[in-house]
Amino acid sequence: MNTIVKIAGFILFVFLSGCKVQHGAQLKKGQWVLGGFERPKGVNPIIEPDTSSVFYDPMLKKEIRWENNDTFNPAAVVKGDSVFVIYRAEDRTGKAIGHRTSRLGLAASVDGIHFERLKTPVFYPGPDEQQDNEWPGGTEDPRIAQTEDGLFVMFYTQWNRKVPRLGVAISTDLRHWVKYGPIFKKSKNKPALVNEPHKSASVVTVLKGNKQVIAKINGKYWLYWGEHGVYGATSDNLIDWEPVTDSKGALKAFISPRDGYFDSGLTECGPPAVLTDKGILLLYNGKNHAEKGDMRFNKNTYSAGQVLFDQRDPTSVLARMDVPFLRPMESFEKSGQYIDGTVFIEGLVFFKQKWFLYYGCADSKVAVAIYDPRHPGPMDPVPGL
């Protein structure tokens, strides 16, 4: 049985059969889940490597083909009448993922499906104040959201091949960015965190009319972050963030990997979270552990899950899916740099009365899946069900 529920001015589709959840706060089964998302036929992948794009790199001081190896892990935002995607691109300077240099490219679409790309990156390591944090590994895995007054805020991984750190940058036009550096550099709760590995930030947003904007929870900006668990942080200015800690000053994980489930290896935050009248909905990336995972899914595969937090207490979990709503099924999701299979979600926008979900495919290409509340589709099927 399928159900349609109206939440915070938009529609959530509830696919009840095969959608198992953890229960809490007396929520009815499935009545908070976003989806299902369907891959539009014949269009994916929407962004692939381009060997013709040439860029003069200010660090190497020469022209390079900056996106000729892989293009993946996209952020997305709506500006005017178009969807803009900022995607991670790798050159061929190294022999494996994490050992090349990543830069961020920009693409635009009037229908959310067919994109035109700039030939040069809009965000990359340079001889600036962030050089030591971003070179030679680069700028990776962006997530973007917009403030009510039109500023674009991007969280991304700064990778110097020593310590991955979350950085933040702000733009008015998506092409020109001001880098503000590591988000935890001024932390008082846990000052050592800035020099410890951390990544993947999903700031909380809300839909006001048809516009998705950054929200405040209990008077502060809030984001979820992390890959070995989902943690939290708060801010007054979107630049300087304080991690949420317990009474002993330790980081507090709100969800963690679960043995026997699709997210047994990692629980890595996805696109900006969405505040609804049911709670705060976070879409995240789950990695299936090779030995301790759900054996119905491939070992080490990345699939997408959802978790609902209490809007009054964003640390409190109300419900969590036990099976993924999106998993590697297409050939382009199971071939590339990451042959075990990956759908890695990072961009979610409400556009033309539909939800567009943008994701990386096997760390090599970009694809889109669409949820239309007027014509809802099923979740990706679970093997054996």
Side-chain angles (χ1 to χ4, degrees):
M1 180 177 70
N2 300 337
T3 304
I4 293 178
V5 183
K6 189 172 183 180
I7 294 179
F10 59 97
I11 303 295
L12 295 184
F13 170 62
V14 182
F15 182 74
L16 295 183
S17 60
C19 180
K20 299 179 180 179
V21 298
Q22 285 185 329
H23 301 296
Q26 300 181 4
L27 284 176
K28 292 184 179 179
K29 184 177 181 180
Q31 285 190 347
W32 54 275
V33 175
L34 184 66
F37 288 87
E38 294 185 294
R39 301 160 179 83
K41 294 181 180 179
V43 301
N44 281 320
I46 57 173
I47 295 175
E48 302 184 62
D50 186 346
T51 59
S52 68
S53 300
V54 177
F55 160 71
Y56 181 84
D57 184 80
M59 299 300 296
L60 297 174
K61 293 182 169 51
K62 65 178 183 180
E63 288 190 340
I64 62 165
R65 300 186 185 278
W66 61 280
E67 59 176 349
N68 61 345
N69 204 78
D70 298 281
T71 51
F72 57 115
N73 292 6
V77 70
V78 175
K79 180 176 180 286
D81 61 355
S82 299
V83 174
F84 287 80
V85 163
I86 290 186
Y87 60 94
R88 174 180 170 185
E90 285 189 337
D91 57 28
R92 292 182 179 173
T93 55
K95 295 183 178 180
I97 187 171
H99 296 278
R100 305 184 184 94
T101 300
S102 291
R103 301 169 184 85
L104 303 183
L106 178 65
S109 171
V110 295
D111 64 4
I113 297 173
H114 303 92
F115 282 83
E116 294 186 3
R117 296 151 64 173
L118 294 182
K119 283 293 187 179
T120 57
V122 295
F123 199 85
Y124 46 84
D128 54 35
E129 292 181 354
Q130 300 307 312
Q131 175 180 332
D132 290 344
N133 295 326
E134 298 176 356
W135 185 257
T139 52
E140 302 180 349
D141 297 353
R143 281 86 163 164
I144 299 176
Q146 188 176 14
T147 64
E148 284 193 71
D149 56 0
L151 293 178
F152 299 100
V153 182
M154 178 169 67
F155 300 94
Y156 67 101
T157 300
Q158 300 180 302
W159 177 226
N160 58 8
R161 297 188 189 164
K162 296 176 183 177
V163 178
R165 295 177 175 88
L166 277 169
V168 62
I170 293 178
S171 173
T172 59
D173 62 2
L174 298 173
R175 297 190 183 208
H176 304 91
W177 294 87
V178 177
K179 297 178 181 179
Y180 289 93
I183 68 172
F184 295 127
K185 64 182 181 294
K186 295 183 179 179
S187 171
K188 296 178 181 178
N189 291 349
K190 198 169 180 62
L193 180 58
V194 69
N195 291 317
E196 298 173 359
H198 57 278
K199 54 172 41 177
S200 305
S202 302
V203 70
V204 175
T205 62
V206 67
L207 202 64
K208 292 191 173 182
N210 289 327
K211 186 176 182 181
Q212 187 180 357
V213 296
I214 296 174
K216 284 187 175 181
I217 306 295
N218 299 327
K220 289 184 176 290
Y221 298 112
W222 180 278
L223 63 76
Y224 296 99
W225 63 275
E227 59 173 346
H228 296 286
V230 170
Y231 303 91
T234 62
S235 175
D236 293 317
N237 60 10
L238 293 171
I239 295 171
D240 304 303
W241 293 82
E242 279 289 357
V244 175
T245 55
D246 62 19
S247 59
K248 298 181 179 180
L251 292 174
K252 180 179 180 180
F254 314 140
I255 68 168
S256 299
R258 303 171 290 180
D259 289 355
Y261 291 87
F262 74 97
D263 54 7
S264 47
L266 292 174
T267 52
E268 189 165 352
C269 294
V274 182
L275 175 63
T276 79
D277 66 359
K278 295 294 184 183
I280 303 170
L281 181 64
L282 175 69
L283 280 60
Y284 69 95
N285 300 286
K287 183 179 182 180
N288 196 36
H289 195 281
E291 287 78 38
K292 301 177 182 179
D294 187 333
M295 294 300 103
R296 294 175 297 178
F297 305 105
N298 289 345
K299 295 179 179 180
N300 297 313
T301 190
Y302 280 84
S303 301
Q306 300 185 31
V307 58
L308 186 72
F309 293 94
D310 191 316
Q311 60 182 300
R312 293 175 297 276
D313 177 7
T315 72
S316 177
V317 176
L318 299 180
R320 180 178 178 183
M321 295 185 73
D322 285 342
V323 294
F325 71 95
L326 195 76
R327 65 183 181 88
M329 296 181 63
E330 302 291 341
S331 59
F332 54 83
E333 298 166 349
K334 297 182 288 185
S335 61
Q337 286 196 97
Y338 198 86
I339 59 175
D340 294 314
T342 298
V343 295
F344 196 86
I345 57 173
E346 288 190 16
L348 176 70
V349 296
F350 189 67
F351 182 64
K352 297 184 183 295
Q353 304 304 310
K354 301 176 184 179
W355 287 96
F356 288 70
L357 182 63
Y358 297 91
Y359 60 96
C361 307
D363 286 349
S364 298
K365 299 175 182 177
V366 173
V368 62
I370 302 171
Y371 160 52
D372 183 350
R374 297 161 297 185
H375 305 285
M379 306 290 180
D380 280 2
V382 176
L385 292 183

